[in-house]
Amino acid sequence: MTTPRTAAAVLLALGALTYTAWALEAVLPTGLSPVHAYVSELAAADQPYGTLFRTTDLVAGVLVAAGGLLALRERPRGRPGALVGRAALVLFGTATAVDSRLPLSCTPTADPVCAAQERTGLVPWAHSAHTVSSTVALCAVLVAMVALTPTARRRAPGPPPARSGVGLVVLELGATAWTLAAIAALETGHGDWGVGLAQRLQVGVVAIWLGVLALSLLRAPAPGAPLRGGIPEVRGGERVPSRDARP
């Protein structure tokens, strides 16, 4: 019988896969530069494959939000960080789905007219709303990564969760810093600092982390089973396994 944990892992894995749909630009003639264009510009309303990328973003967000909701059904006692991380995962998925419904109307990094309209505030309101939803999604996934990675390592201490989790968090923070610096440089007329590469690294790391999280859920011991390497508790003179630590 499929457990909520297994179902959550499958949903997160599928969400991670769908979240990498932007990589299809390698084979689709989008006309946008992966080095200089925002990932969200692939889904702009005036782009030939905009519907495809908006749909995959919507599906990815729904899958991740659903996986996070299923994970919330298991409420770990005494671990508020795990609950915060799961709630942040749901918020990330929801914001990603909302983001897909608020596409850019044009591509400011490739279209000078669009860039000029953005500077003068002549673009539709969806541009500002898209910025808000994207920011919410980014903040939520950073919280989820920081909160859930330690507990994922405790649940499945073998590779890859234990070996890659912390490294992915550090890489994501670095990619985020690069992206924010590149956006600031672009908006102040100092070049784009490879904002396209920075953002693709950013979303790519998130997708990999989601896959690692899904794997940790599948590899975790059953509730009540001892963790590998766990410290046994002593009760009434008898050594019993410590409680399962669930993220």
Side-chain angles (χ1 to χ4, degrees):
M1 182 176 66
T2 301
T3 65
R5 182 194 301 174
T6 301
V10 171
L11 289 171
L12 290 176
L14 291 174
L17 180 62
T18 312
Y19 197 62
T20 62
W22 55 268
L24 291 172
E25 67 181 340
V27 296
L28 295 176
T30 64
L32 297 174
S33 168
V35 177
H36 305 294
Y38 295 118
V39 174
S40 57
E41 290 181 277
L42 293 168
D46 66 346
Q47 291 303 292
Y49 301 100
T51 300
L52 168 65
F53 291 112
R54 289 193 297 272
T55 301
T56 53
D57 282 348
L58 174 62
V59 172
V62 170
L63 288 170
V64 173
L69 285 171
L70 279 177
L72 277 171
R73 292 185 60 181
E74 291 185 347
R75 298 182 179 275
R77 298 176 182 176
R79 296 192 178 278
L83 287 176
V84 169
R86 293 177 182 186
L89 198 62
V90 174
L91 179 58
F92 163 68
T94 302
T96 299
V98 171
D99 203 40
S100 72
R101 303 299 91 191
L102 299 168
L104 301 176
S105 63
C106 53
T107 54
T109 64
D111 183 356
V113 174
C114 180
Q117 289 176 337
E118 271 206 335
R119 289 193 296 268
T120 55
L122 297 178
V123 290
W125 66 272
H127 280 241
S128 297
H130 180 85
T131 299
V132 172
S133 58
S134 296
T135 301
V136 171
L138 171 60
C139 293
V141 79
L142 287 176
V143 170
M145 292 179 74
V146 171
L148 292 179
T149 294
T151 47
R153 283 163 58 87
R154 286 192 292 269
R155 290 187 70 156
R163 293 184 179 179
S164 61
V166 174
L168 288 173
V169 173
V170 172
L171 186 57
E172 178 65 14
L173 292 174
T176 299
W178 179 12
T179 300
L180 294 176
I183 292 174
L186 183 62
E187 292 182 347
T188 55
H190 293 86
D192 59 37
W193 291 18
V195 66
L197 286 179
Q199 200 176 54
R200 282 159 177 76
L201 175 62
Q202 188 182 44
V203 297
V205 171
V206 169
I208 294 172
W209 179 81
L210 287 172
V212 169
L213 181 63
L215 181 59
S216 76
L217 289 173
L218 290 175
R219 296 186 59 178
L227 290 174
R228 285 176 290 175
I231 299 175
E233 299 174 357
V234 178
R235 298 178 187 171
E238 296 182 0
R239 295 166 64 87
V240 296
S242 59
R243 294 180 180 176
D244 180 26
R246 288 177 278 174

